[in-house]
Amino acid sequence: MSRFGEVDDQYDPHALEQRVFDYWDDVDAYEQTVEHRSDGESFFFVDGPPYTSGSAHMGTTWNKSLKDVYIRFLRMQGYDVTDRPGYDMHGLPIETKVEEKLGFENKKDIEEFGEENFIQECKDYADEQLEGLQSDFKSFGVWMDWDNPYRTVSPEYMEAAWWGFSKAADRDLVEQGHRSISQCPRCETAIANNEVEYEDVEDPSIYVKFDLEDREGSIVIWTTTPWTIPANTFVAVDEEGDYVGVRAEKDGEEELLYVAEAKHEDVLKEGRYDDYEVVEELTGEDLLGWSYEHPLAEEVPDHVDGEGVFEVYAGDYVDTHGSGTGLVHSAPGHGEEDFYRGTELELPIFCPVGGDGVYTDEAGKYEGQFVKEADDEIMADLEANGALLASGTVNHSYGHCWRCDTGILQIVTDQWFITITDVKDELLDNIEDSEWYPQWARDNRFRDFVEEAPDWNVSRQRYWGIPLPVWTPEDRDDDEDMIVVGTREELAERVDQDVDPEAVDLHKDTVDDLTITEDGTTYTRVPDVFDVWLDSSVASWGTLDFPSDDSRFDELWPADLILEAHDQTRGWFWSQLGMGTAAMGEIPYDKVLMHGHALDEDGRKMSKSVGNVVEPDVAIERHGSDAMRMFLLSANPQGDDMRFSWDEMGTMENHLRTLWNVFRFPLPYMRLDGFEPSETDLESVDDDLELVDEWVLARLQATKAEMTEHLEAFRQDRALEALLEFVVEDVSRFYIQAVRERMWDEEDSGSKTAAYATIYRVLRESVTLLAPFAPFVSEEIYGTLAGEADHDTVHMEDWPAVEEYWVDEQLEEDVALLRAIEEAGANARQQAGRKLRWPVPRVVVAADDQRVVEAVERHTTLLEERLNAREIELVSPDSQWGELDYSAEADMSELGPAFGGRAGEVMTALNEARIEETTLEALEEAVSDVLEDDESITEAMVSFVTETPDGVAGTAFGLDNDDRGVVYVDASLTEDIESEGYAREVIRRVQEMRKDLDLDVEERIALDLAIDDDRVADLVSEREALIREEVRADELGDLEVDNGARKEWEVEGVMMEIALEPLAAADASK
RNA sequence: GGGCCAAUAGCUCAAUCAGGUUGAGCGCCACUCUGAUAAGGUGGAGGCUCUCGGUUCAAAUCCGAGUUGGCCCA
């Protein structure tokens, strides 16, 4: 890219991006940029590793775009940023994908296939997915260390997990325990609560009578899981709830039933009783200690037994007004709450169900059946035993395995835990050490979650994961005397077998058979692998390959910034806090930027089944990577979800097109004049700068300040908005318009050079500011503007600093006022029906304050040009323009307190009043109808507003909804104005014809005019010199057009025929 | 079922914290400009500010209840 070289006429994002990719390759742009900052202050960013199944969707694309914009911004601010991307590659999702691929149905198939082979298949699959993600991320210009990502399956990363876990064990936070967990019976493993997905399903809904011992009657419970009845251990009630004893009659038989008072009607209706009577009113407390008989005592002979079982206890999870009966069937073997309460009551924990969801021999009659399939038989048996009060079905949400969609079961098994509940206070304290954007996410959601978090079950009975580094004595499998290995080196030292710490892979197949023998005891490994959430929880040191590489840990850890979507509150934000606290006693990150999810155009989540997914590559295809990134980055990154919008993305492409036009406009002139920015910088042309140059430079300073502030507050959307406002409104629509004529000047002039230097500086800094957002187009523009002494890539530039010298807030306001006046003037012109091409004799600016007067006085000429006015007349604030009427605008903050409920009515009257002088007396007179005797209008309540008089068009102008004056356009015609107007009409049409003929700008022509109206023809001929000059016509007269064009036009109702031909052609034809 | 967040023009969002006549950009329509030209300018249409209550002289804004959507949890 040579300086001021030829560029595409049109912004073509695809060709441009391809060129930039090639260019980046050629000059090693990324590597140079990283190297350029290698001496800078360290900034430790940690990438939340995406899971390697599936490809990048709009959400991940948004996430990576955000990371990219902040990494680039930080680099430009001088930081040496850690930018190693990561990939989360273990876990059940990949296992189930591979199982599907291989046609497996359960664990047996895997065992037959061979653990080692299966692990290899999973590894291959994850690697393949990783490649896909890498190329997706690269495709929209994300600059991270793609050659060296951290992978959770690498030995050094797995070691980081072992190390963290062993540190937690050192702090006595690792234990093995008998716990109620969610089990997927197909995957035959525990799954985390946040891996449970809830779906609506139809389940049995049964009411069961438990006959009371030592007294008449039964208590009634309700459940949707008949299969848990065999494990019933106790019944829970609300101690403070109201219950009733009901004598109910059905088919001539009477029963005494106990249920919650609030539910007794519902329950009896379900049971289709003929009649009933409340015979007893009691509280939950009265029921405590009542004993009952197990309804399936015969079918399940080995049912739970012991002191205190089959009794009524208080339980705080009971709701006497919710669904059910107010008495809750409790089976500690099949429910978390039941488990905790059962443990508290020191009742036995009975779970006659295996990890595969099949009843064990403890389930008696039901042994060998899959639990859900035993529901019918259990209900039949209850019926036969006279215990079934009612049965039906219910539609409710029930947990399913996130991967294979199998209904989960609550069972009790032996699992390994990090007992984070032991350090709950430390966790809550540590939260305070992190800064969140937005802060409510930390103080509400995150805090709530941490407060309620149970111990972390980290063990999974699966294959594709990091093996638990736990060895237990051969004859036992609990946490007594366990050995936790922290590093590969330690492993090599302690195991009985030969292990090369450099080469060992650490996956299950390689460590399963390793044993440790110490003090005469042989230890074997616990066969479980880690919950995949544990993998990413150690990313803050895994990224650094710590502990195997300890060169950077002390300097960098903890992370300065992490940046993920809000689902990670319960995911990575949490797992890192838990692991960081358990292992290190600290939160492993300082700042969190939490963004939302990408929703579709209707605000629903994108989902494959709904078919509303927008693929990032389709978006890139339609609008280019830069436009897509800018769209994504224009969304608030703090908590809110983003609604996808093709329109908005298209708008971003339009803005880039505008930037492209702004950029390419001055190039030919600069090239022609040999403008050399390294010799002619802004400072050297200072004396020749015109006001508009100083203004655009002042706006540039304000834009830089604003952007920096927003980016530092993690509001890149506002930073981008500020930049686009500057480029589109200030540079394109105002500055370029204002300097065009200076650039067309064929003579060398100080003014022209000053304009070059100004626009050069503006463009250079604008693309530098844009670079983090739209790295491709910024690079190409920068490359065209930059010289030998500049960097190879815009991304090596320093973030542009505010230069105090050019800051000029007063000038900014001046021009803002002028632009407001101009805009109002254009409006008034249109109302008066006068095109801009036709001059108007005068424009009157009625200023409300001295600032407006100053602004107009300093820029009268500019205003005359812009509004095509022969004269600008200024009416100062202390005088009034004679022809005006007035009305009043009410200030509600004054009116409200004064008039109370009638304030609205008074406001309307004031708005509608018409008076000839701006006095309160006149105004009060005009609104006397709505005023009571003792009421008056005060100065503070109103501001007077001018009303347009007849024959003159007027439009108010102001800043930020604050009126500052009115512009009146006097559009009356004189002969001179008509002459110029018609001449301009002719010129415009000749120009258009020149253009149609593709004539060079410099080319001379011969011109012929035939105008149907003599008066108009005379008026036009008065301006012949002007026409000749503007259209470069050397000859005027009769033309036989051979080599040119002839066309008829209608101008303001007058027909005119115009013919022209290039002079070279005209000569040839003679 | 619970917690958090959101709901304002056809679309994307401001204005909500500190109550005072709802704004911008995009899109649409009309007009206009023409040496950036698949650009530019001006105007117009388009809002019971999700609903229902409450507080207040005054509510998009504060409070309560609900509806819809999103995330998380059960």
Side-chain angles (χ1 to χ4, degrees):
Chain A
M1 289 181 251
S2 66
R3 182 172 269 184
F4 307 147
E6 295 280 347
V7 299
D8 287 357
D9 280 357
Q10 252 124 59
Y11 170 61
D12 174 356
H14 297 107
L16 183 151
E17 281 163 24
Q18 199 45 59
R19 281 196 300 274
V20 171
F21 271 127
D22 291 344
Y23 175 74
W24 282 350
D25 256 1
D26 287 349
V27 301
D28 290 329
Y30 167 74
E31 291 76 6
Q32 275 203 69
T33 303
V34 171
E35 176 57 28
H36 182 56
R37 302 297 179 187
S38 59
D39 294 332
E41 189 183 334
S42 296
F43 189 97
F44 185 27
F45 168 78
V46 177
D47 187 33
Y51 195 78
T52 47
S53 80
S55 50
H57 52 84
M58 203 48 79
T60 19
T61 303
W62 189 23
N63 174 262
K64 277 291 195 284
S65 298
L66 284 166
K67 287 171 176 169
D68 195 47
V69 88
Y70 286 106
I71 290 175
R72 285 181 192 271
F73 170 62
L74 287 160
R75 285 209 168 105
M76 293 172 91
Q77 285 192 314
Y79 291 100
D80 177 20
V81 185
T82 309
D83 66 349
R84 193 178 190 194
Y87 294 95
D88 202 0
M89 302 170 74
H90 280 134
L92 200 48
I94 288 173
E95 289 198 44
T96 50
K97 291 260 187 198
V98 171
E99 281 185 86
E100 261 170 51
K101 190 176 123 195
L102 297 174
F104 292 174
E105 294 197 342
N106 52 40
K107 274 186 171 179
K108 278 195 197 72
D109 294 331
I110 298 173
E111 299 291 351
E112 277 167 25
F113 185 66
E115 243 179 46
E116 192 181 343
N117 296 333
F118 185 69
I119 287 170
Q120 189 56 48
E121 289 281 343
C122 290
K123 192 166 193 302
D124 292 346
Y125 179 85
D127 280 338
E128 197 179 299
Q129 297 295 317
L130 182 149
E131 290 308 322
L133 286 170
Q134 291 252 105
S135 71
D136 287 347
F137 297 148
K138 288 180 197 169
S139 75
F140 52 92
V142 180
W143 268 12
M144 295 178 84
D145 191 2
W146 303 119
D147 293 339
N148 182 34
Y150 74 83
R151 303 157 73 249
T152 57
V153 300
S154 73
E156 53 279 16
Y157 193 93
M158 291 168 74
E159 179 176 49
W162 277 22
W163 181 84
F165 186 74
S166 74
K167 294 295 277 187
D170 291 347
R171 296 186 63 196
D172 214 13
L173 295 172
V174 168
E175 73 177 46
Q176 192 250 29
H178 210 54
R179 302 284 173 95
S180 177
I181 48 97
S182 296
Q183 175 87 2
C184 171
R186 192 212 70 89
C187 299
E188 292 185 46
T189 182
I191 58 177
N193 284 338
N194 58 11
E195 291 168 343
V196 177
E197 281 182 355
Y198 289 82
E199 288 168 32
D200 282 343
V201 291
E202 188 154 299
D203 266 327
S205 160
I206 60 170
Y207 291 82
V208 186
K209 292 179 284 193
F210 289 178
D211 288 343
L212 292 164
E213 299 228 25
D214 313 324
R215 68 173 65 227
E216 186 198 352
S218 344
I219 50 179
V220 184
I221 64 93
W222 173 76
T223 183
T224 57
T225 50
W227 61 269
T228 61
I229 298 282
N232 175 271
T233 305
F234 66 101
V235 164
V237 296
D238 175 5
E239 211 169 352
E240 278 154 26
D242 294 322
Y243 292 83
V244 288
V246 181
R247 202 163 284 282
E249 193 190 310
K250 179 158 67 172
D251 305 332
E253 287 186 28
E254 243 187 34
E255 290 178 277
L256 178 59
L257 305 172
Y258 290 93
V259 292
E261 195 278 331
K263 303 299 296 184
H264 78 274
E265 288 179 20
D266 290 348
V267 173
L268 289 159
K269 203 168 144 203
E270 286 288 339
R272 296 166 200 273
Y273 285 89
D274 303 326
D275 200 8
Y276 70 89
E277 186 188 356
V278 174
V279 294
E280 221 175 326
E281 290 186 0
L282 51 183
T283 65
E285 198 179 350
D286 299 329
L287 276 65
L288 300 183
W290 289 14
S291 301
Y292 61 89
E293 290 165 21
H294 193 294
L296 297 171
E298 284 176 28
E299 289 80 0
V300 187
D302 293 336
H303 61 71
V304 66
D305 200 5
E307 182 132 356
V309 302
F310 306 139
E311 282 185 23
V312 176
Y313 293 95
D316 56 14
Y317 49 88
V318 181
D319 175 8
T320 51
H321 294 266
S323 47
T325 65
L327 294 109
V328 177
H329 148 61
S330 299
H334 294 310
E336 210 168 317
E337 287 172 325
D338 312 26
F339 178 85
Y340 282 122
R341 187 66 180 130
T343 309
E344 211 168 69
L345 296 167
E346 297 181 357
L347 297 174
I349 307 300
F350 179 65
C351 178
V353 178
D356 54 0
V358 173
Y359 281 116
T360 62
D361 56 357
E362 286 180 312
K365 181 182 176 198
Y366 310 110
E367 179 186 354
Q369 287 195 64
F370 183 66
V371 291
K372 292 295 283 178
E373 277 154 20
D375 276 349
D376 286 342
E377 188 178 340
I378 288 169
M379 286 189 279
D381 291 340
L382 288 170
E383 176 83 70
N385 295 348
L388 195 63
L389 183 144
S391 77
T393 58
V394 66
N395 222 308
H396 67 154
S397 78
Y398 188 81
H400 289 73
C401 175
W402 64 323
R403 293 325 310 167
C404 68
D405 210 31
T406 305
I408 59 120
L409 306 176
Q410 287 292 328
I411 61 171
V412 170
T413 60
D414 286 335
Q415 301 289 344
W416 289 83
F417 291 85
I418 295 180
T419 56
I420 55 101
T421 51
D422 291 347
V423 288
K424 191 59 77 69
D425 291 343
E426 203 180 339
L427 289 167
L428 293 170
D429 281 351
N430 287 348
I431 290 177
E432 307 291 328
D433 295 337
S434 61
E435 208 177 301
W436 288 49
Y437 299 83
Q439 210 208 319
W440 57 255
R442 185 191 84 176
D443 294 340
N444 299 336
R445 289 179 79 161
F446 195 52
R447 199 175 183 85
D448 290 352
F449 181 77
V450 173
E451 271 170 1
E452 286 167 26
D455 285 340
W456 183 3
N457 171 10
V458 296
S459 53
R460 295 290 182 274
Q461 294 70 53
R462 294 297 303 186
Y463 310 92
W464 180 233
I466 299 176
L468 263 69
V470 179
W471 273 257
T472 56
E474 211 163 16
D475 53 342
R476 52 199 299 180
D477 58 2
D478 58 18
D479 52 18
E480 293 289 317
D481 301 321
M482 66 177 171
I483 293 173
V484 179
V485 174
T487 63
R488 285 173 287 173
E489 205 141 314
E490 186 185 347
L491 179 77
E493 277 168 23
R494 295 179 84 165
V495 296
D496 303 327
Q497 295 77 4
D498 269 345
V499 168
D500 175 0
E502 299 291 321
V504 67
D505 166 84
L506 288 195
H507 274 104
K508 194 166 151 61
D509 50 329
T510 57
V511 296
D512 269 358
D513 297 332
L514 301 180
T515 54
I516 295 173
T517 306
E518 279 172 19
D519 300 331
T521 307
T522 299
Y523 295 74
T524 55
R525 218 198 111 253
V526 169
D528 296 351
V529 298
F530 278 133
D531 167 19
V532 67
W533 282 103
L534 189 136
D535 291 29
S536 55
S537 76
V538 303
S540 64
W541 56 86
T543 292
L544 302 172
D545 290 341
F546 184 82
S548 60
D549 173 357
D550 60 2
S551 60
R552 291 176 301 163
F553 180 83
D554 287 343
E555 185 207 340
L556 295 179
W557 200 87
D560 290 307
L561 173 68
I562 60 175
L563 187 175
E564 306 296 333
H566 48 36
D567 54 328
Q568 299 303 333
T569 313
R570 269 69 179 168
W572 198 51
F573 298 154
W574 156 244
S575 72
Q576 286 202 97
L577 171 70
M579 185 45 121
T581 305
M584 314 287 287
E586 276 183 61
I587 190 166
Y589 46 80
D590 286 343
K591 288 186 181 178
V592 178
L593 174 56
M594 185 194 88
H595 61 87
H597 279 186
L599 308 180
D600 76 358
E601 296 205 80
D602 299 324
R604 291 168 312 181
K605 78 169 153 188
M606 291 191 185
S607 112
K608 276 186 187 143
S609 55
V610 178
N612 60 347
V613 175
V614 179
E615 300 291 350
D617 55 347
V618 175
I620 294 171
E621 183 57 39
R622 267 165 76 166
H623 295 292
S625 293
D626 279 331
M628 180 184 74
R629 288 172 58 114
M630 283 166 69
F631 165 70
L632 294 172
L633 294 168
S634 70
N636 181 344
Q638 298 192 16
D640 287 352
D641 287 334
M642 176 209 35
R643 255 166 103 156
F644 186 82
S645 163
W646 284 115
D647 268 5
E648 295 291 310
M649 198 177 291
T651 301
M652 287 301 166
E653 193 187 344
N654 284 345
H655 287 155
L656 288 178
R657 188 166 288 119
T658 301
L659 172 68
W660 188 259
N661 286 335
V662 167
F663 150 68
R664 74 188 197 87
F665 159 71
L667 292 181
Y669 307 103
M670 289 179 170
R671 204 158 45 224
L672 214 64
D673 288 329
F675 172 65
E676 184 46 65
S678 51
E679 287 161 20
T680 314
D681 65 4
L682 214 39
E683 287 64 26
S684 69
V685 298
D686 201 354
D687 291 344
D688 288 319
L689 288 178
E690 299 194 7
L691 219 65
V692 71
D693 303 323
E694 286 169 0
W695 167 77
V696 78
L697 290 167
R699 284 286 306 130
L700 176 62
Q701 308 315 314
T703 303
K704 287 188 279 188
E706 202 181 333
M707 285 185 77
T708 308
E709 193 180 316
H710 287 317
L711 279 163
E712 285 176 345
F714 295 109
R715 284 303 297 266
Q716 87 296 326
D717 55 323
R718 290 182 165 160
L720 180 61
E721 195 186 349
L723 178 61
L724 290 175
E725 169 96 9
F726 174 66
V727 169
V728 175
E729 290 294 330
D730 298 335
V731 181
S732 173
R733 293 185 185 164
F734 195 81
Y735 182 72
I736 295 289
Q737 297 294 338
V739 296
R740 273 147 56 139
E741 300 213 21
R742 285 159 69 191
M743 299 223 176
W744 299 336
D745 194 348
E746 283 166 33
E747 304 295 314
D748 271 344
S749 76
S751 167
K752 182 166 70 173
T753 312
Y756 286 161
T758 304
I759 195 153
Y760 183 82
R761 174 72 61 94
V762 166
L763 284 173
R764 268 280 293 249
E765 295 206 349
S766 294
V767 294
T768 308
L769 294 165
L770 184 67
F773 298 89
F776 299 98
V777 67
S778 307
E779 188 75 290
E780 178 134 317
I781 295 178
Y782 179 84
T784 309
L785 299 175
E788 292 296 316
D790 290 307
H791 295 299
D792 276 344
T793 165
V794 67
H795 305 290
M796 286 168 79
E797 283 282 325
D798 287 342
W799 185 250
V802 174
E803 294 161 287
E804 287 302 326
Y805 182 77
W806 300 114
V807 173
D808 190 342
E809 283 170 23
Q810 186 179 324
L811 180 56
E812 285 187 64
E813 196 189 351
D814 261 11
V815 175
L817 282 169
L818 281 174
R819 294 181 70 179
I821 293 168
E822 184 193 335
E823 201 171 296
N827 181 333
R829 246 181 176 284
Q830 186 155 320
Q831 284 181 47
R834 190 69 69 229
K835 299 178 196 173
L836 189 59
R837 203 182 293 139
W838 290 60
V840 292
R842 65 173 179 160
V843 165
V844 179
V845 178
D848 280 1
D849 57 60
Q850 203 52 36
R851 285 288 295 121
V852 176
V853 173
E854 284 166 23
V856 173
E857 278 176 347
R858 288 167 74 186
H859 304 284
T860 305
T861 317
L862 181 65
L863 213 48
E864 278 173 2
E865 281 169 15
R866 291 242 165 189
L867 288 174
N868 196 9
R870 289 278 158 83
E871 190 192 359
I872 301 286
E873 197 177 309
L874 191 55
V875 178
S876 58
D878 45 9
S879 52
Q880 294 173 358
W881 201 34
E883 304 159 43
L884 297 177
D885 279 348
Y886 300 90
S887 71
E889 191 170 6
D891 180 346
M892 281 311 280
S893 61
E894 295 289 337
L895 241 50
F899 292 99
R902 289 169 41 244
E905 190 190 345
V906 176
M907 176 195 78
T908 309
L910 288 170
N911 287 346
E912 286 172 358
R914 289 292 175 276
I915 50 177
E916 287 181 358
E917 54 177 14
T918 57
T919 63
L920 291 174
E921 291 72 35
L923 190 58
E924 280 181 1
E925 175 64 27
V927 299
S928 56
D929 285 356
V930 297
L931 293 184
E932 313 249 324
D933 289 345
D934 55 340
E935 290 172 341
S936 59
I937 303 292
T938 67
E939 190 109 18
M941 291 177 186
V942 292
S943 49
F944 290 98
V945 178
T946 48
E947 292 296 327
T948 318
D950 289 340
V952 177
T955 300
F957 65 89
L959 295 180
D960 305 325
N961 285 331
D962 193 11
D963 273 354
R964 306 291 290 273
V966 185
V967 179
Y968 302 95
V969 172
D970 175 1
S972 54
L973 290 174
T974 63
E975 196 160 284
D976 182 52
I977 280 173
E978 280 195 281
S979 166
E980 183 173 338
Y982 280 115
R984 293 274 173 206
E985 297 284 2
V986 169
I987 290 164
R988 214 225 92 195
R989 284 162 177 86
V990 173
Q991 299 289 30
E992 190 169 324
M993 289 171 73
R994 284 184 61 114
K995 185 152 207 175
D996 288 342
L997 286 176
D998 257 342
L999 296 191
D1000 191 87
V1001 173
E1002 307 286 327
E1003 190 135 19
R1004 315 302 299 188
I1005 57 166
L1007 177 69
D1008 188 17
L1009 290 176
I1011 297 175
D1012 262 3
D1013 182 311
D1014 288 347
R1015 192 180 76 93
V1016 172
D1018 287 346
L1019 286 168
V1020 168
S1021 64
E1022 282 175 31
R1023 286 288 198 283
E1024 192 184 305
L1026 174 72
I1027 295 171
R1028 277 172 177 272
E1029 192 197 334
E1030 290 287 321
V1031 305
R1032 293 183 159 86
D1034 287 349
E1035 294 183 15
L1036 202 59
D1038 302 329
L1039 285 185
E1040 303 283 327
V1041 175
D1042 296 326
N1043 221 332
R1046 179 175 294 278
K1047 199 167 174 184
E1048 286 214 349
W1049 301 86
E1050 189 186 331
V1051 176
E1052 305 278 304
V1054 178
M1055 293 306 297
M1056 37 179 90
E1057 191 174 357
I1058 300 175
L1060 64 87
E1061 60 184 4
L1063 270 181
D1067 287 344
S1069 68
K1070 274 178 189 169

